Amino acid sequence: MSGARERLTDGLYGLGWATVKKLPEPVSVALGRGIADTVWKRRGSSVLRLESNLARVVPDAGPERLAELSRAGMRSYMRYWMESFRLPAWSKERVGDGVEVQEVHRLTDALDAGRGVVLALPHLANWDLAGAWVTTALGVPFTTVAERLKPETLYDRFVAYRESLGMEVLPHEGGSAFGTLARRLRAGGLVCLVADRDLSASGTEVKFFGDTARMPGGPALLAQQTGAVLLPVTLWYDDSPVMRARVHPPVDVPETGTRAEKTSVMTQALADAFATGIAEHPEDWHMLQRLWLDDLEPRQETS
């Protein structure tokens, strides 16, 4: 990304955070929907990639259904951004009223028992709002990681924003994040990780909607090494201003097998839980990038 483009990108995000949070909520909702519809109508690469991904999630959907889902998906994605821009200005009461969590006892019981907990989420609905709900409604701080963005000033904005919501944010790169996360868990703390996409060579291969993808093995490795409870979480929107969430049953560490084998089994269990939530609410899965290995491989030229 060129220096000029980096400055423009940072400026646009800064403008969003500075202005959208001052808008009345109905105005920001309408603005987000209008932007989403405009982007969707242009049929750019992100929209086409979203439709391609949704075609795997809903394999019996025809072109019209996929177009409906991608339009709803872009609206959901912009709802995420509009909420996120406004979130630092929300009161604790607004945050608390903005999320309803099913089976939350799975999280609170583990924390009350003094065990560390790893929450693993896919890119569904608004994971930042879910995190803010944990820190405000439950009063539980947690640690997460963030990928370094370009420009660096944009990364700094994201870190400052998430820290303002009560999160401890570690850089994804550098190798020290895993050790810090492990220490937090051994102390009975909470770690939250978005964990449905890992294109690195160290990613763990899983079967996901019938084909092979890579997901991070970090959540499973942390649970193995620290004894923390590993809980998948899925999120979704409905027609109300409230976001819904479900804490799925814990993913247990297998009793036998090598560390790699255990990690594979546990990461597959996470993928299965994610798939359940995504299949129920495909329009809220904000996966606008390539995910499956088949989509990453270069196409063979035909003679």
Side-chain angles (χ1 to χ4, degrees):
M1 186 183 291
S2 68
R5 186 178 176 188
E6 287 183 359
R7 289 191 294 273
L8 176 61
T9 300
D10 182 51
L12 289 173
Y13 279 106
L15 182 64
W17 267 305
T19 60
V20 173
K21 67 182 178 182
K22 298 177 182 178
L23 296 175
E25 192 156 347
V27 175
S28 70
V29 170
L31 176 62
R33 179 164 290 198
I35 294 172
D37 287 350
T38 299
V39 172
W40 178 79
K41 288 175 183 176
R42 290 177 178 171
R43 309 290 293 163
S45 59
S46 294
V47 174
L48 295 178
R49 174 51 50 191
L50 176 61
E51 284 189 7
S52 176
N53 291 338
L54 289 171
R56 293 180 182 266
V57 175
V58 190
D60 58 345
E64 290 186 6
R65 174 59 176 152
L66 285 175
E68 291 174 358
L69 283 173
S70 68
R71 183 179 187 181
M74 293 307 298
R75 288 182 172 185
S76 175
Y77 186 49
M78 287 310 303
R79 176 174 172 176
Y80 160 78
W81 279 111
M82 292 295 128
E83 286 179 346
S84 295
F85 286 145
R86 294 174 53 80
L87 204 46
W90 282 10
S91 67
K92 290 185 177 180
E93 291 74 21
R94 176 66 182 89
V95 173
D97 292 342
V99 182
E100 181 180 279
V101 183
Q102 300 173 10
E103 309 296 343
V104 70
H105 68 89
R106 290 174 173 147
L107 167 60
T108 55
D109 288 353
L111 291 172
D112 290 345
R115 296 186 65 183
V117 176
V118 180
L119 294 182
L121 305 87
H123 286 83
L124 273 169
N126 192 337
W127 46 97
D128 283 325
L129 175 55
W133 184 86
V134 168
T135 60
T136 55
L138 296 185
V140 178
F142 67 86
T143 305
T144 188
V145 297
E147 182 180 359
R148 285 199 176 276
L149 303 171
K150 293 292 185 179
E152 195 75 15
T153 50
L154 179 57
Y155 171 78
D156 292 340
R157 285 184 187 273
F158 270 100
V159 170
Y161 156 65
R162 286 176 173 148
E163 288 180 341
S164 75
L165 301 176
M167 310 176 192
E168 179 188 19
V169 183
L170 307 176
H172 186 271
E173 301 166 353
S176 63
F178 188 91
T180 302
L181 296 174
R183 286 193 295 273
R184 299 291 184 269
L185 292 169
R186 291 190 181 102
L190 176 63
V191 165
C192 298
L193 301 170
V194 180
D196 59 342
R197 183 173 184 263
D198 186 345
L199 303 183
S200 70
S202 61
T204 300
E205 292 192 1
V206 295
K207 284 295 182 183
F208 196 53
F209 292 102
D211 287 299
T212 304
R214 288 197 192 102
M215 294 187 181
L221 286 168
L222 284 167
Q224 290 177 58
Q225 293 195 17
T226 67
V229 179
L230 177 55
L231 294 173
V233 177
T234 54
L235 314 170
W236 69 95
Y237 291 128
D238 55 22
D239 293 331
S240 77
V242 179
M243 183 179 72
R244 315 295 173 176
R246 177 184 302 124
V247 182
H248 293 255
V251 174
D252 295 326
V253 178
E255 295 183 0
T256 59
T258 65
R259 183 173 68 173
E261 289 169 344
K262 291 178 180 179
T263 300
S264 178
V265 170
M266 296 172 73
T267 305
Q268 183 63 61
L270 283 180
D272 292 343
F274 294 166
T276 297
I278 293 167
E280 291 174 351
H281 306 280
E283 67 278 5
D284 290 322
W285 190 39
H286 305 155
M287 187 55 65
L288 280 67
Q289 303 86 18
R290 298 177 189 272
L291 176 67
W292 283 272
L293 299 193
D294 286 349
D295 293 334
L296 298 172
E297 295 174 355
R299 296 184 183 276
Q300 297 293 325
E301 296 292 335
T302 57
S303 57

